[in-house]
């Protein structure tokens, strides 16, 4: 039996902290939530945190200030989207407290050029990238570097539209012009256990984006009259089950991505990750992004998904799956293999 009580599972109070902490408790760990002042209510109300530490504001500085305390408590930190965004993929590398997952891979997911090299190398289809606006010959989506949660993306059909629309965005840090794939978004949540060398598909989601997901509620004529433009600000996640015949292909895609990651960084990619794709009407997946950590799309499944039910026969969220992996690693004396 792993002595889980000797460890405390810690994360920042945001993103997927509820299921990470709940899952850790279900596996017998103590839990700690680092919260911004005034934002701890959910973690208290749902009873997922044994301890709460408060900071004035999330940042690399505020995290490093309390790192020694985390080390003393024998904490294992679980990174999630907000954690990485507040601390930054470069600063993450300086973390000394036990950290679940390979830190090096975060650099590959956060740099669009590196990410593209990795995914294309893994044989995935990706939307075309246009080097200059003058090359635009089809619908494209313009994504700003550092844009949070899809805010401020815009669509253009040609160079003229691009130059017209970009005028509204003055203080950006650069952008990428990507082919817009007309199809449906499907986000696949994987878990790769490097202990067992096994890839699992945990669940799927699609996002609920404002205003993209409500434009259909307004007649096309009214959209034009009020000069509506599409934005993709993420507001929530919607659970999804995919056509079963797509599963073999999705397993294959995940396996190839894991395989290629082993050439990129020390231990490669392991633990939870997500391929964010658009499926076109010909059933081709175009992957536009990878998240090399737990994604918020797993949040509808605190009690497990239809897929985890098939495999586990007990409630298994991605958060709990992480804790199970840590527990398994402690049990067989391989904790160092899953810390990065
Ligand atoms: P992202 O911030 O890159 O995850 O993208 C936000 C949203 O924009 C996605 O959930 C999709 O709805 C949409 N999107 C992003 N890239 C594309 C693309 N190449 N083609 C079609 N839709 C896209």
């Amino acid at each position: 039996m792993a002595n889980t009580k000797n460890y405390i599972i810690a994360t920042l109070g945001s993103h997927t902290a509820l299921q990470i902490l709940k899952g850790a408790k279900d596996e017998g760990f103590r839990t700690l939530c680092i919260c911004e002042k005034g934002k701890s209510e959910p973690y208290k109300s749902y009873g997922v945190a044994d301890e709460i530490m408060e900071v004035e504001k999330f940042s690399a500085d505020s995290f490093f200030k309390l790192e020694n305390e985390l080390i003393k408590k024998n904490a294992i930190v679980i990174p999630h989207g907000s954690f990485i965004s507040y601390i930054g993929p470069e600063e993450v590398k300086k973390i000394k407290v036990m950290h679940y997952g390979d830190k090096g891979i975060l650099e590959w997911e956060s740099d669009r050029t590196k990410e593209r090299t990795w995914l294309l190398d893994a044989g995935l289809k990706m939307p075309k990238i246009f080097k200059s606006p003058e090359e635009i010959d089809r619908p494209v989506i313009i994504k700003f570097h550092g844009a949070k949660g899809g805010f401020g993306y815009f669509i253009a059909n040609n160079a003229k539209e691009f130059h017209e629309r970009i005028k509204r965005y003055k203080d950006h840090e650069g952008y990428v012009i990507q082919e817009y794939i007309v199809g449906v978004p499907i986000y696949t949540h994987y878990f790769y256990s490097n202990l067992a060398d096994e890839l699992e598909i945990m669940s799927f989601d699609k996002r609920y984006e404002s205003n993209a997901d409500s434009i259909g509620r307004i007649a096309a004529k009214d959209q034009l009259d009020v000069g509506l433009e599409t934005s993709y600000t993420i507001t929530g996640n919607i659970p999804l089950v995919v056509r079963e015949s797509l599963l073999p292909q999705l397993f294959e895609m995940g396996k190839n991505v894991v395989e290629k990651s082993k050439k990129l960084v020390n231990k490669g990619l392991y633990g939870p990750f997500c391929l964010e794709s658009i499926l076109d009407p010909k059933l081709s997946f175009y992957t536009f992004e990878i998240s090399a950590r737990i994604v918020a799309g797993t949040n509808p499944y605190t009690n497990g998904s239809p897929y985890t039910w098939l495999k586990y026969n007990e409630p298994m969220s991605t958060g709990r799956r992480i804790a199970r992996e840590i527990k398994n690693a402690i049990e067989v004396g391989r904790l160092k293999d899953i810390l990065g």
Side-chain angles (χ1 to χ4, degrees):
M1 277 288 285
N3 200 350
T4 47
K5 292 278 181 238
N6 290 344
Y7 299 87
I8 190 160
I9 300 291
T11 196
L12 290 194
S14 182
H15 196 262
T16 39
L18 286 170
Q19 58 152 316
I20 290 174
L21 300 176
K22 156 92 171 114
K25 275 178 91 71
D26 287 345
E27 292 298 308
F29 288 98
R30 288 183 310 115
T31 57
L32 187 159
C33 193
I34 304 160
C35 293
E36 273 190 352
K37 277 215 173 93
K39 295 192 181 167
S40 55
E41 187 55 29
Y43 308 98
K44 290 179 183 154
S45 169
Y46 295 113
V48 296
D50 295 318
E51 287 182 41
I52 287 182
M53 275 182 173
E54 286 194 325
V55 295
E56 209 55 58
K57 226 167 165 35
F58 287 148
S59 67
D61 270 359
S62 64
F63 177 79
F64 286 115
K65 269 193 194 125
L66 49 81
E67 193 181 26
N68 273 337
E69 220 173 316
L70 294 174
I71 294 173
K72 272 192 222 137
K73 288 178 185 287
N74 215 23
I76 302 177
V77 169
I78 314 292
H80 54 49
S82 305
F83 180 87
I84 295 155
S85 136
Y86 284 116
I87 295 183
E90 272 309 310
E91 296 295 300
V92 164
K93 286 195 200 142
K94 298 181 188 152
I95 293 179
K96 291 193 207 69
V97 60
M98 287 185 277
H99 168 279
Y100 174 73
D102 194 297
K103 291 171 192 147
I105 205 72
L106 298 174
E107 198 181 310
W108 283 82
E109 67 141 45
S110 59
D111 176 321
R112 284 194 207 270
T113 314
K114 285 183 153 181
E115 177 187 43
R116 195 169 174 86
T117 310
W118 173 16
L119 298 184
L120 289 176
D121 210 27
L124 266 52
K125 260 195 209 147
M126 298 188 78
K128 184 177 153 83
I129 298 291
F130 293 85
K131 290 204 179 74
S132 84
E134 277 53 51
E135 287 175 19
I136 300 174
D137 62 357
R138 64 193 83 179
V140 293
I141 181 166
I142 288 81
K143 301 181 174 184
F144 292 103
H145 298 327
K148 288 221 164 67
F151 184 74
Y153 291 176
F154 70 92
I155 306 281
N157 289 289
N158 48 49
K160 188 167 169 280
E161 269 181 18
F162 173 90
H163 291 300
E164 199 58 45
R165 293 180 181 169
I166 193 90
K167 282 184 199 152
R168 282 185 288 124
Y169 304 88
K170 298 222 162 55
D171 302 322
H172 59 77
E173 305 159 22
Y175 53 79
V176 62
I177 306 174
Q178 198 177 79
E179 173 185 12
Y180 186 86
I181 308 291
V182 183
V184 291
I186 295 185
Y187 290 46
T188 310
H189 315 144
Y190 295 92
F191 188 96
Y192 173 63
S193 166
N194 59 340
L195 292 181
D197 186 22
E198 187 185 355
L199 180 78
E200 301 166 35
I201 290 182
M202 305 294 290
S203 46
F204 298 92
D205 81 295
K206 62 175 204 159
R207 290 172 166 185
Y208 195 43
E209 291 161 343
S210 188
N211 57 14
D213 287 311
S214 66
I215 283 183
R217 293 157 63 95
I218 305 171
K221 181 182 172 306
D222 296 330
Q223 293 174 21
L224 294 175
D225 286 351
V226 296
L228 254 190
E229 275 163 29
T230 324
S231 61
Y232 296 86
T233 306
I234 176 98
T235 61
N237 301 84
I238 305 172
L240 189 75
V241 165
V242 300
R243 189 171 163 173
E244 196 158 313
S245 57
L246 296 170
L247 287 175
Q249 190 184 342
L250 289 163
F251 272 103
E252 194 60 31
M253 286 163 64
K255 279 184 185 167
N256 290 341
V257 166
V258 168
E259 214 33 60
K260 288 295 165 192
S261 75
K262 291 179 183 164
K263 289 197 195 143
L264 308 178
V265 288
N266 213 350
K267 294 179 192 162
L269 170 69
Y270 58 87
F273 68 99
C274 173
L275 292 179
E276 309 181 359
S277 314
I278 307 282
L279 183 60
D280 79 359
K282 290 183 187 144
L283 299 181
S284 291
F285 281 100
Y286 287 85
T287 304
F288 58 87
E289 204 163 308
I290 181 167
S291 297
R293 34 87 192 160
I294 186 168
V295 289
T298 59
N299 280 340
Y301 307 110
T302 38
N303 202 35
S305 78
Y307 301 94
T308 60
W309 185 246
L310 292 167
K311 196 169 171 68
Y312 290 96
N313 251 331
E314 64 179 323
M316 185 58 68
S317 67
T318 294
R320 185 171 183 181
R321 182 67 189 82
I322 294 172
R324 175 73 54 97
E325 190 77 350
I326 296 173
K327 191 162 94 176
N328 289 344
I330 296 168
E331 234 159 39
V332 296
R334 290 183 60 190
L335 192 54
K336 67 171 183 351
D337 290 348
I338 63 165
L339 300 177

